Amino acid sequence: MPRFLSMIRIDENELSGAEFPQDFTDRMGKLLEEITKAGVMLDTAGLTATSDGTRVTWSGGKLSYTDGPFTETKEVIGGYALMQCKDKAEALEWTRRFLEIHPEEWDITCELRQIAED
């Protein structure tokens, strides 16, 4: 079965200090339990703020390092999920359900990509 990487893109400045609805944790926990029991979820996690990160760039035969925060970037990867689904349609359905748990006033984008396998 194909594997898919779901990358959650957020504007961390917009969501910094944002309040989660009271029932958010319960609803998210139930969805994660369901997706795990279905044998789909392989791994998932949120990521720390870009202020804790470092970008490593290879250019012109040299490495350079840039410590965060990365102020020139509006959207950053805030979390990920690695899923094994029967097809892209199933991966998109789980992604839809994940996004719909979040507050309507939030702007969150999920980039879903299939992992290339030989």
Side-chain angles (χ1 to χ4, degrees):
M1 283 203 312
R3 293 180 301 158
F4 295 86
L5 180 63
S6 168
M7 295 168 282
I8 309 305
R9 296 184 178 273
I10 61 168
D11 179 339
E12 70 181 351
N13 294 322
E14 181 182 299
L15 295 180
S16 178
E19 297 282 328
F20 286 94
Q22 199 167 24
D23 65 342
F24 177 83
T25 303
D26 290 339
R27 291 185 300 133
M28 184 62 73
K30 287 177 184 174
L31 178 64
L32 292 177
E33 182 179 337
E34 183 181 350
I35 193 171
T36 300
K37 283 183 178 178
V40 171
M41 184 65 71
L42 300 176
D43 190 28
T44 188
L47 302 176
T48 61
T50 61
S51 57
D52 296 330
T54 301
R55 284 189 179 155
V56 182
T57 303
W58 174 257
S59 179
K62 296 181 182 179
L63 285 174
S64 64
Y65 300 85
T66 306
D67 290 331
F70 311 118
T71 55
E72 71 281 0
T73 303
K74 182 177 176 178
E75 285 188 340
V76 298
I77 306 279
Y80 71 93
L82 181 59
M83 302 179 289
Q84 188 166 17
C85 302
K86 64 181 177 186
D87 55 26
K88 187 175 182 179
E90 181 184 16
L92 285 170
E93 175 62 17
W94 286 113
T95 300
R96 177 194 64 80
R97 292 183 59 196
F98 171 82
L99 288 174
E100 288 179 343
I101 287 176
H102 293 79
E104 289 181 13
E105 62 273 10
W106 288 18
D107 292 323
I108 302 173
T109 300
C110 179
E111 181 178 336
L112 183 68
R113 311 254 314 261
Q114 186 171 342
I115 296 175
E117 311 221 29
D118 295 336

